Amino acid sequence: MPLTHLAVVQASGADATAFLHSQLSNDVQGLPPQRSLLAGYCNAKGRLFTISRLWRHGDAWLLCLPADSAETLLKRLRMFVLRSKVTLTLRQDLTLFGVSGDAAATALGRAGLPAPDQDGSVATHDDTSVLCLPGTVPRYLLCLTDAVAPATWTALTEVARPADTGYWRLLEIDAGQPSVHTATAETFVPQHVNLERVDGVSFRKGCYPGQEIVARMHYLGKPSRRMYRMQTTAPPPPPGTAVQDERQREVGTVVDAQATGTDATRLLAALQVAAIDSPLLLPDGARLERLDLPYPLEAPDSAEA
C-alpha cells in the first residue's frame, strides 16, 4: 500500500533527543535502540495537536504522522527550539509503504528487506526502516528514500497484491490506533483517544506541554470519554464529524473512518462513556454498532503507577 496520507518530520542535532523528550507525551530518552513508539504533542491544556510514531534512524529522529498535521507539528515545535541544537525538517525525499497479511514477512524477505517480529520493533537496511506495528494481522511500515522506492515496490508486488491507502487506514482502525487530523486538532486529551492504552503516554517521565492535565486525569479520575471502534452502513464520515444520541445531543467525535469494501464503514470515535450503551447516530441518522477493540480500555488497578 502506498501511504500517501502520511508524512515524515525529521529532528536532528545534538539536542534532538532531549528536545523531543521535553515536548512529547512519551519517554523518548528511554526508548531502546531499534524500537518505535507513539507519542502525542499537546497544548498547555492537554489537548492533542498531533500523534506521531517516532523512531531513531542514524543520528536523527523520524516522526511519522498524518500529512495534514505535519506542518502543525513543525510550526509548534519550532516555537520552542530557542537555543537548542535541533533542526526540524519535513522529509519530502522519503516514501512510505505498508505491507500486511500472513505472508508479509515472506514478501519483505523476497524484496531483500528485514522483517522484525515484535510489535514496535524496527529494523534497518541501508536507508530503509521497517517497522513492525500492532494489528489484527501482521503489518509493517516501510520508510525508504524516493530513489529506491520504485524498485522496492516492484519487488514487493511480485509476491504481494497492491492495495490502496484506505486499506491501511482500515487496518489502523481495526488495531484501535488513534490519529489526529487537522479537523480534530486540539479536540482530544490523550485518554479520550486511548493513547495511554497503546503505550503512547509515559506517566514516569518529566514535564511536557499539558502534562499536568494528562497526569491529573490518570491519577485522580477516569476519563469521561473513550475511543471506541464502531461500524455503520453509511459512507465514511470525515474526522471531526459529530456523533449524536437519539435526542440529537452531541456525545462524541469521529476520529477516523474507512469503507470496508463490503457496503460498510468502520470507524473510531471518541465518545462519552456514559452514552456508550445508548443508541448512537451520525448526523445523517445512520446508526452505529459497537465493535470490540483489540485491547482493554482500563488497566488493572495495580498495573500503572
Side-chain angles (χ1 to χ4, degrees), residues 12-16 18-19 22-23 77-88:
S12 57
D15 298 331
F19 175 74
S22 70
Q23 295 295 315
L77 285 178
R78 284 170 175 164
M79 292 171 58
F80 299 98
V81 169
L82 301 178
R83 296 183 180 179
S84 298
K85 297 178 181 178
V86 180
T87 301
L88 299 164

Side-chain angles (χ1 to χ4, degrees), residues 65 126 202:
L65 70 163
D126 296 332
S202 170

Side-chain angles (χ1 to χ4, degrees), residues 132-201:
C132 181
L133 300 185
T136 54
V137 297
R139 66 190 187 108
Y140 299 89
L141 172 68
L142 277 60
C143 179
L144 59 167
T145 62
D146 293 347
V148 302
T152 302
W153 178 265
T154 298
L156 288 170
T157 54
E158 289 178 355
V159 291
R161 176 170 52 87
D164 62 21
T165 301
Y167 185 67
W168 182 262
R169 292 178 70 170
L170 185 62
L171 292 174
E172 288 274 278
I173 289 168
D174 286 342
Q177 301 293 294
S179 58
V180 174
H181 298 270
T182 300
T184 53
E186 300 184 84
T187 299
F188 312 119
V189 298
Q191 289 93 332
H192 288 173
V193 290
N194 308 346
L195 189 59
E196 90 287 13
R197 303 306 308 136
V198 293
D199 299 323
V201 180

Side-chain angles (χ1 to χ4, degrees), residues 202-257:
S202 170
F203 294 101
R204 295 181 174 89
K205 61 166 284 182
C207 293
Y208 57 90
Q211 181 264 345
E212 182 178 352
I213 286 84
V214 177
R216 185 185 303 130
M217 182 177 293
H218 175 70
Y219 289 113
L220 300 182
K222 293 185 177 181
S224 61
R225 295 182 180 232
R226 278 296 197 183
M227 188 175 72
Y228 298 89
R229 190 168 71 105
M230 316 292 287
Q231 184 163 288
T232 182
T233 56
T241 299
V243 176
Q244 303 173 341
D245 64 12
E246 285 191 312
R247 297 182 181 179
Q248 296 185 321
R249 296 176 299 188
E250 184 173 333
V251 296
T253 306
V254 172
V255 175
D256 202 2

